[in-house]
PDB file of all heavy atoms in Angstrom:
ATOM      1  N   GLY A 207     112.915  88.564 165.906  1.00 46.00           N
ATOM      2  CA  GLY A 207     114.284  88.122 166.132  1.00 46.00           C
ATOM      3  C   GLY A 207     115.071  89.120 166.957  1.00 46.00           C
ATOM      4  O   GLY A 207     115.869  88.766 167.837  1.00 46.00           O
ATOM      5  N   SER A 208     114.846  90.399 166.649  1.00 47.00           N
ATOM      6  CA  SER A 208     115.566  91.429 167.397  1.00 47.00           C
ATOM      7  C   SER A 208     115.105  91.466 168.849  1.00 47.00           C
ATOM      8  O   SER A 208     115.894  91.661 169.766  1.00 47.00           O
ATOM      9  CB  SER A 208     115.373  92.792 166.739  1.00 47.00           C
ATOM     10  OG  SER A 208     113.996  93.139 166.718  1.00 47.00           O
ATOM     11  N   ASP A 209     113.789  91.262 169.048  1.00 49.00           N
ATOM     12  CA  ASP A 209     113.282  91.246 170.404  1.00 49.00           C
ATOM     13  C   ASP A 209     113.869  90.072 171.186  1.00 49.00           C
ATOM     14  O   ASP A 209     114.217  90.182 172.374  1.00 49.00           O
ATOM     15  CB  ASP A 209     111.750  91.142 170.415  1.00 49.00           C
ATOM     16  CG  ASP A 209     111.111  92.394 169.851  1.00 49.00           C
ATOM     17  OD1 ASP A 209     111.812  93.433 169.810  1.00 49.00           O
ATOM     18  OD2 ASP A 209     109.926  92.330 169.427  1.00 49.00           O
ATOM     19  N   ALA A 210     113.950  88.902 170.502  1.00 44.00           N
ATOM     20  CA  ALA A 210     114.514  87.736 171.162  1.00 44.00           C
ATOM     21  C   ALA A 210     115.966  87.966 171.528  1.00 44.00           C
ATOM     22  O   ALA A 210     116.433  87.606 172.605  1.00 44.00           O
ATOM     23  CB  ALA A 210     114.366  86.494 170.278  1.00 44.00           C
ATOM     24  N   GLU A 211     116.704  88.593 170.586  1.00 46.00           N
ATOM     25  CA  GLU A 211     118.108  88.864 170.855  1.00 46.00           C
ATOM     26  C   GLU A 211     118.252  89.838 172.017  1.00 46.00           C
ATOM     27  O   GLU A 211     119.131  89.727 172.855  1.00 46.00           O
ATOM     28  CB  GLU A 211     118.787  89.406 169.604  1.00 46.00           C
ATOM     29  CG  GLU A 211     118.913  88.361 168.500  1.00 46.00           C
ATOM     30  CD  GLU A 211     119.530  88.968 167.253  1.00 46.00           C
ATOM     31  OE1 GLU A 211     119.788  90.184 167.270  1.00 46.00           O
ATOM     32  OE2 GLU A 211     119.753  88.221 166.287  1.00 46.00           O
ATOM     33  N   ASP A 212     117.364  90.848 172.051  1.00 47.00           N
ATOM     34  CA  ASP A 212     117.432  91.816 173.140  1.00 47.00           C
ATOM     35  C   ASP A 212     117.154  91.143 174.477  1.00 47.00           C
ATOM     36  O   ASP A 212     117.803  91.416 175.494  1.00 47.00           O
ATOM     37  CB  ASP A 212     116.412  92.941 172.914  1.00 47.00           C
ATOM     38  CG  ASP A 212     116.799  93.782 171.711  1.00 47.00           C
ATOM     39  OD1 ASP A 212     117.991  93.743 171.329  1.00 47.00           O
ATOM     40  OD2 ASP A 212     115.902  94.473 171.155  1.00 47.00           O
ATOM     41  N   GLY A 213     116.177  90.201 174.468  1.00 44.00           N
ATOM     42  CA  GLY A 213     115.861  89.502 175.706  1.00 44.00           C
ATOM     43  C   GLY A 213     117.015  88.632 176.174  1.00 44.00           C
ATOM     44  O   GLY A 213     117.350  88.564 177.356  1.00 44.00           O
ATOM     45  N   ALA A 214     117.624  87.948 175.185  1.00 43.00           N
ATOM     46  CA  ALA A 214     118.754  87.096 175.537  1.00 43.00           C
ATOM     47  C   ALA A 214     119.897  87.925 176.056  1.00 43.00           C
ATOM     48  O   ALA A 214     120.592  87.576 177.009  1.00 43.00           O
ATOM     49  CB  ALA A 214     119.179  86.260 174.326  1.00 43.00           C
ATOM     50  N   GLY A 215     120.111  89.069 175.434  1.00 44.00           N
ATOM     51  CA  GLY A 215     121.199  89.934 175.879  1.00 44.00           C
ATOM     52  C   GLY A 215     120.940  90.472 177.266  1.00 44.00           C
ATOM     53  O   GLY A 215     121.851  90.621 178.079  1.00 44.00           O
ATOM     54  N   THR A 216     119.679  90.747 177.543  1.00 43.00           N
ATOM     55  CA  THR A 216     119.350  91.265 178.869  1.00 43.00           C
ATOM     56  C   THR A 216     119.598  90.209 179.935  1.00 43.00           C
ATOM     57  O   THR A 216     120.134  90.482 181.014  1.00 43.00           O
ATOM     58  CB  THR A 216     117.884  91.710 178.907  1.00 43.00           C
ATOM     59  OG1 THR A 216     117.670  92.673 177.893  1.00 43.00           O
ATOM     60  CG2 THR A 216     117.522  92.297 180.264  1.00 43.00           C
ATOM     61  N   LYS A 217     119.189  88.975 179.575  1.00 43.00           N
ATOM     62  CA  LYS A 217     119.410  87.903 180.537  1.00 43.00           C
ATOM     63  C   LYS A 217     120.894  87.658 180.758  1.00 43.00           C
ATOM     64  O   LYS A 217     121.353  87.451 181.860  1.00 43.00           O
ATOM     65  CB  LYS A 217     118.730  86.622 180.071  1.00 43.00           C
ATOM     66  CG  LYS A 217     117.210  86.711 180.112  1.00 43.00           C
ATOM     67  CD  LYS A 217     116.584  85.425 179.622  1.00 43.00           C
ATOM     68  CE  LYS A 217     115.063  85.523 179.675  1.00 43.00           C
ATOM     69  NZ  LYS A 217     114.417  84.291 179.189  1.00 43.00           N
ATOM     70  N   GLU A 218     121.655  87.684 179.624  1.00 42.00           N
ATOM     71  CA  GLU A 218     123.080  87.429 179.763  1.00 42.00           C
ATOM     72  C   GLU A 218     123.756  88.533 180.557  1.00 42.00           C
ATOM     73  O   GLU A 218     124.644  88.311 181.350  1.00 42.00           O
ATOM     74  CB  GLU A 218     123.725  87.282 178.378  1.00 42.00           C
ATOM     75  CG  GLU A 218     123.270  86.022 177.658  1.00 42.00           C
ATOM     76  CD  GLU A 218     123.854  85.959 176.270  1.00 42.00           C
ATOM     77  OE1 GLU A 218     124.542  86.910 175.886  1.00 42.00           O
ATOM     78  OE2 GLU A 218     123.621  84.957 175.587  1.00 42.00           O
TER      79      GLU A 218
END
Side-chain angles (χ1 to χ4, degrees):
S208 61
D209 293 341
E211 291 177 357
D212 292 340
T216 303
K217 291 179 180 179
E218 292 176 357

